[in-house]
Amino acid sequence: MTAHRELRGDVAVLVPAAGLGVRLGPGGPKALRLLGGEPLLVHAVRRLSEAPCVGCVVVAAPADGVEAVQRLLEAYDVTVVAGGATRQASVAAALAAVPAGFEIVLVHDAARALAPAGLFERVAGAVRGGHGAVVPVLPVVDTIKQVDAAGAVLGTVDRSGLRAVQTPQGFRREVLVAAHAAAVDEHTDDAGMAEKLGIEVHTVAGDELALKITRPLDLALAELLIKATED
Ligand code: C5P
């Protein structure tokens, strides 16, 4: 059994990764797609485990894949729980497994496998600094058009006020608990649920390395990035 590097921080990180079967390898579920020979989930957990602020990691795996994901992550100090039918349910299941004493909770998507440890520090630092909810953002580089159902352009959106949101998103624990307790609709991110509660969401600078690896081109770019950053 590989020795765990002990986590010593006071921040818990939730990694919903239950939107997948347990198939490994290219073409399989997204969080288990191989990048440089390792599943995205392993890349994500390795990088976030390097952040000194992190003291607890909870991964939500598919209900029938908890043991497989535990084996995959046996070199890391993580708790693996069964996720739910939706991302939101998986985050709630992971949140329920965070031990008492962790007052800052970050939620991270395994598909942002190259998010560096420094980004976790930055988001956690802003929560520690007094913000109830924090998201890392990047400026939007493309021109954004509003279109109708037929694809005709209705107008051009002023992009100066737009930001693309990444993960990890950070919360005071009680904010995330309240957001999940109050959520009635499905949300694509956790900050959206906090917004619904009227909580002010603070932004910090994101990181281009935290790109969401979704399309084949993203995977190709990520392969180049790990070569460039790990050489
Ligand atoms: O589908 P999407 O890219 O939004 O999924 C974001 C994350 O939520 C993925 O890491 C996926 O594994 C996770 N998820 C989950 N439980 C579900 C559905 C998605 O943990 N039921």
Side-chain angles (χ1 to χ4, degrees):
M1 179 89 176
T2 320
H4 291 152
R5 191 179 72 80
E6 203 185 328
L7 299 175
R8 295 176 184 276
D10 62 353
V11 171
V13 184
L14 315 181
V15 187
L20 24 111
V22 289
R23 266 184 320 138
L24 301 180
K30 192 166 69 181
L32 299 184
R33 288 275 168 83
L34 296 184
L35 169 61
E38 270 184 325
L40 293 179
L41 178 61
V42 175
H43 279 279
V45 169
R46 187 169 67 245
R47 283 165 178 76
L48 68 88
S49 297
E50 284 164 3
C53 67
V54 173
C56 165
V57 181
V58 184
V59 174
D64 63 352
V66 171
E67 283 178 17
V69 169
Q70 246 156 7
R71 277 197 299 278
L72 199 61
L73 296 173
E74 66 182 357
Y76 299 92
D77 188 3
V78 301
T79 301
V80 182
V81 299
T86 62
R87 179 187 183 278
Q88 207 163 300
S90 296
V91 172
L95 180 57
V98 174
F102 289 94
E103 298 308 331
I104 299 175
V105 181
L106 271 46
V107 186
H108 185 48
D109 191 343
R112 299 186 189 272
L114 301 186
L119 186 59
F120 290 82
E121 292 293 318
R122 183 146 73 236
V123 171
V127 179
R128 209 184 300 286
H131 297 287
V134 175
V135 293
V137 298
L138 290 178
V140 172
V141 291
D142 291 313
T143 295
I144 306 287
K145 304 281 187 196
Q146 182 96 43
V147 297
D148 67 14
V153 170
L154 298 173
T156 303
V157 181
D158 175 12
R159 73 179 176 201
S160 66
L162 297 180
R163 298 291 181 271
V165 178
Q166 302 180 316
T167 71
Q169 301 189 344
F171 304 88
R172 298 282 329 157
R173 183 184 186 141
E174 67 269 18
V175 167
L176 191 58
V177 168
H180 274 267
V184 280
D185 314 319
E186 277 303 312
H187 293 265
T188 53
D189 76 342
D190 298 277
M193 296 192 300
E195 288 158 39
K196 275 270 167 69
L197 276 190
I199 304 279
E200 187 180 309
V201 179
H202 179 70
T203 62
V204 295
D207 192 307
E208 286 183 0
L209 283 174
L211 76 157
K212 191 171 187 185
I213 301 169
T214 320
R215 294 157 295 198
L217 191 63
D218 304 322
L219 201 55
L221 176 60
E223 296 275 0
L224 291 174
L225 287 170
I226 52 169
K227 286 204 182 82
T229 56
E230 290 181 354
D231 277 355

